[in-house]
């Protein structure tokens, strides 16, 4: 089995796992990963994470030309913005996960640090998550907003829409976006309950020990 075939299968397997556990629904969400030759494999437009076909993934070459497969997701500007600004990005995942979206609807959020520092794992896998304003689905301005961060964030939250996370590979990106959704769920569960977030000293200890991108 070739490396590309394994990657195609992995993308579809992980996407189905996210779908089966309710982290995205219907035909929402999109996923992409770098191939060894610098190209991209991308989930096609209008497809369900629960029923992706490895042979029909959109396949781009290193110059950004569609080589094979179905037409890609309309959110390509989001994906390419992360790849172009973060050299470490090997995969990008975008979901419409319920708790993250619900949290983004609430007032008085810190746009620079959307998720409260509730667990070390949220910090370790995501760093600070930037809350971006609402954009129409498919609007290239979303990609420009990500580019405006100059590669300093691995995760963003699109208000009223959903999270987008880049990782070193497709498994890491999926693990990180699951952590984002779970932290959002914790934030909603404990909102206005006087929950103890990590202290500044505890945050700094996690950041130092695990080399977290935090002061950006």
């Amino acid at each position: 089995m070739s490396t590309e075939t394994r990657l195609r299968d992995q993308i579809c397997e992980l996407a189905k796992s996210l779908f089966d556990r309710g982290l995205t629904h219907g035909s929402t969400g999109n996923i992409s990963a770098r191939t060894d030759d610098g190209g991209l494999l991308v989930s096609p437009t209008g497809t369900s994470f629960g029923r992706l076909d490895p042979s029909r993934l959109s396949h781009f070459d290193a110059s950004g030309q569609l080589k094979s497969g179905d037409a890609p997701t309309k959110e390509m500007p989001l994906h390419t913005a992360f790849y172009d600004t973060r050299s470490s990005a090997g995969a990008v995942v975008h979901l419409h996960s319920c708790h993250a979206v619900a949290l983004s609807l609430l007032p008085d959020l810190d746009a620079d640090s959307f998720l409260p520092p509730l667990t070390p794992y949220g910090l370790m896998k995501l760093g600070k998550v930037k809350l971006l304003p609402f954009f129409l689905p498919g609007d290239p301005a979303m990609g420009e907003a990500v580019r405006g961060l100059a590669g300093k964030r691995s995760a963003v939250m699109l208000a009223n829409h959903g999270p987008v996370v880049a990782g070193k590979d497709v498994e890491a990106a999926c693990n990180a976006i699951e952590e984002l959704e779970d932290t959002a769920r914790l934030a909603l569960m404990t909102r206005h309950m006087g929950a103890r977030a990590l202290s500044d000293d505890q945050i700094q200890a996690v950041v130092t020990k695990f080399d977290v991108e935090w002061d950006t």
Side-chain angles (χ1 to χ4, degrees), residues 43-199:
S43 56
T45 185
T47 52
S48 168
F49 266 31
R51 297 181 295 278
L52 290 180
D53 182 341
S55 69
R56 298 182 64 177
L57 296 177
S58 310
H59 186 193
F60 290 85
D61 64 19
S63 66
Q65 296 299 309
L66 182 64
K67 293 177 59 178
S68 63
D70 295 341
T73 171
K74 62 179 173 292
E75 307 291 16
M76 280 299 292
L78 272 175
H79 291 254
T80 56
F82 272 109
Y83 290 118
D84 290 348
T85 59
R86 288 183 64 85
S87 60
S88 61
V92 175
V93 183
H94 168 43
L95 301 180
H96 294 187
S97 50
C98 181
H99 295 93
V101 174
L103 186 62
S104 80
L105 309 181
L106 300 182
D108 304 321
L109 297 172
D110 182 354
D112 192 55
S113 190
F114 167 67
L115 295 176
L118 299 179
T119 71
Y121 300 98
L123 276 63
M124 291 158 57
K125 292 187 180 296
L126 297 158
K128 286 184 181 178
V129 179
K130 182 75 171 182
L131 176 63
L132 297 178
F134 173 73
F135 298 97
L136 289 175
D139 187 343
M142 287 189 287
E144 293 308 310
V146 170
R147 291 177 189 278
L149 300 175
K152 295 179 179 178
R153 301 294 177 94
S154 66
V156 300
M157 180 67 202
L158 303 171
N160 303 68
H161 186 162
V164 192
V165 174
K168 65 178 182 179
D169 54 39
V170 67
E171 185 172 8
C174 287
N175 286 342
I177 207 164
E178 288 195 49
E179 194 67 43
L180 193 158
E181 171 66 4
D182 200 50
T183 303
R185 182 168 178 261
L186 285 172
L188 289 170
M189 289 172 64
T190 59
R191 191 170 174 84
H192 303 311
M193 294 175 64
R196 295 188 304 275
L198 297 177
S199 68

